[in-house]
């Protein structure tokens, strides 16, 4: 079985889709897929589907949805499959679990690659770091579970995944900057800062990329516009790190041109105290 949640929900067995068309069974499959091999308690599943006010028939209806998922599984697995649908979508005391390997779900392959990328970054291997983060991000096919109506549990999971995706993008750009790829990053960073107009980390990266590409005035203008937004929208000044980065650019600090120095740090923390 292969399940993808980093984009539209996809679940295939022997090349055949087992994704139900009805909304609530899709929610169940999505939540079970995020935690393969782990029992999801019945109250958690019910909260995802009905929130804090489940109907009196909730338990019976939940069992019906599980039965529907097993039927789809059984059809895709075929009559000659060892075991059966009940050994894949398993009933346990107080809950249900999807008995498949973690790497059968794209999110777990993504998280493994992110861990490898972070380990490479901390050891100073920017080449491997950038490659691992890029491979992790290539698993995304759009916003997580974009075609699933999410309840309170999945909503938290989707927010967590989207935040992880943005952090991974930022870390991959850090690695690319350390490798001297500043010119290649400007277009991507311009789009990212437009989508995240108050994100100081991304703004620090585009400032450095522009500065290293001989566009000091444009880099300083990025800071000026961000500062104006932060003051107008939030009533705050940019962080000390960003202010020091700005001052370093005004002073033409040689440290700004250091690509992969001995200190493993993010671009945002380049001038941290």
């Amino acid at each position: 079985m292969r399940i993808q949640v980093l984009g539209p929900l996809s679940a295939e067995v022997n090349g055949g889709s087992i994704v139900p068309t009805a909304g609530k069974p899709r929610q169940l499959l999505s939540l079970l897929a995020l935690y393969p091999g782990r029992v999801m308690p019945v109250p958690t599943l019910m909260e995802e589907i009905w929130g804090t006010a489940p109907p009196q028939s909730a338990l019976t209806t939940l069992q019906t949805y599980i039965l529907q998922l097993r039927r789809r599984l059984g059809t895709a697995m075929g009559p000659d499959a060892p075991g059966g649908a009940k050994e894949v979508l398993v009933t346990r005391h107080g809950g249900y679990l999807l008995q498949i390997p973690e790497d059968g779900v794209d999110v777990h392959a993504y998280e493994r690659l992110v861990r490898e990328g972070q380990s490479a970054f901390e050891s100073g291997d920017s080449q491997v770091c950038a490659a691992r983060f890029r491979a992790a991000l290539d698993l995304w096919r759009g916003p997580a579970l974009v075609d699933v109506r999410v309840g309170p549990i999945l909503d938290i999971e989707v927010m967590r995944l989207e935040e992880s995706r943005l952090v991974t993008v930022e870390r991959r750009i850090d690695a690319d900057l350390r490798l001297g790829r500043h010119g290649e990053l400007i277009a991507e960073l311009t789009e990212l800062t437009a989508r995240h107009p108050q994100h100081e980390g991304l703004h620090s990266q585009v400032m450095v990329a522009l500065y290293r590409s001989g566009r000091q005035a444009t880099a300083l203008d990025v800071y000026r516009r961000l500062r104006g937004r932060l003051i107008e929208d939030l009533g705050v000044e940019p962080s000390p790190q960003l202010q020091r980065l700005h001052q370093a650019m005004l002073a033409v600090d040689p440290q700004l041109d250091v690509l992969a120095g001995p200190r493993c740090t993010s671009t945002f923390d380049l001038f941290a105290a």
Side-chain angles (χ1 to χ4, degrees):
M1 182 187 293
R2 301 292 302 175
I3 300 181
Q4 295 173 300
V5 299
L6 302 177
L9 175 63
S10 171
E12 293 186 349
V13 175
N14 298 328
S17 174
I18 63 164
V19 177
T21 54
K24 288 181 172 59
R26 289 168 75 91
Q27 287 174 263
L28 282 180
L29 178 59
S30 300
L31 190 50
L32 290 164
L34 285 169
Y35 295 95
R38 286 174 53 183
V39 176
M40 292 303 299
V42 165
T44 302
L45 296 171
M46 290 170 70
E47 183 182 354
E48 167 58 27
I49 295 174
W50 292 289
T52 56
Q56 287 188 341
S57 61
L59 183 57
T60 303
T61 305
L62 176 65
Q63 291 168 343
T64 301
Y65 294 152
I66 294 292
L67 179 61
Q68 291 172 3
L69 288 173
R70 281 186 178 141
R71 283 175 179 162
R72 297 185 74 90
L73 261 171
T75 301
M77 291 170 69
D80 300 325
K86 283 188 175 182
E87 293 189 18
V88 177
L89 180 46
V90 184
T91 303
R92 287 284 187 265
H93 179 69
Y96 300 92
L97 68 90
L98 204 56
Q99 195 71 273
I100 61 173
E102 278 197 349
D103 265 8
V105 185
D106 60 354
V107 69
H108 296 286
Y110 161 78
E111 289 173 342
R112 174 177 51 77
L113 286 164
V114 167
R115 288 192 298 271
E116 292 174 2
Q118 186 59 28
S119 177
F121 184 81
E122 290 167 359
S123 68
D125 192 338
S126 298
Q127 197 81 42
V128 171
C129 170
R132 292 294 186 275
F133 284 148
R134 189 168 282 107
L137 292 164
D138 284 346
L139 293 174
W140 287 75
R141 299 165 296 116
L145 295 173
V146 66
D147 59 346
V148 176
R149 181 186 61 199
V150 299
I153 310 298
L154 280 178
D155 187 45
I156 293 169
E157 293 293 338
V158 167
M159 285 193 292
R160 177 184 68 82
L161 288 170
E162 291 295 340
E163 180 62 26
S164 171
R165 182 187 191 182
L166 183 58
V167 169
T168 302
V169 168
E170 193 177 357
R171 288 172 175 172
R172 193 220 84 224
I173 292 170
D174 277 335
D176 281 338
L177 282 170
R178 288 171 62 83
L179 291 166
R181 296 170 178 165
H182 37 270
E184 304 165 34
L185 293 169
I186 292 173
E188 179 185 6
L189 280 164
T190 300
E191 179 187 352
L192 284 167
T193 50
R195 278 198 265 146
H196 304 278
Q198 295 176 349
H199 194 297
E200 293 194 359
L202 294 172
H203 280 78
S204 71
Q205 291 176 324
V206 76
M207 287 169 65
V208 169
L210 288 164
Y211 181 91
R212 290 179 180 170
S213 300
R215 298 170 62 182
Q216 180 188 20
T218 309
L220 293 170
D221 190 53
V222 168
Y223 177 85
R224 181 187 61 78
R225 286 184 282 113
L226 173 63
R227 180 174 182 266
R229 276 194 299 273
L230 291 175
I231 292 172
E232 182 178 347
D233 297 346
L234 303 175
V236 299
E237 289 280 349
S239 64
Q241 290 100 315
L242 208 60
Q243 291 185 45
R244 283 192 285 268
L245 177 63
H246 176 243
Q247 289 301 317
M249 288 185 174
L250 289 172
V252 195
D253 190 322
Q255 189 177 344
L256 285 164
D257 294 315
V258 175
L259 301 182
R263 184 184 176 199
C264 295
T265 186
S266 69
T267 307
F268 180 65
D269 288 326
L270 195 61
F271 289 91

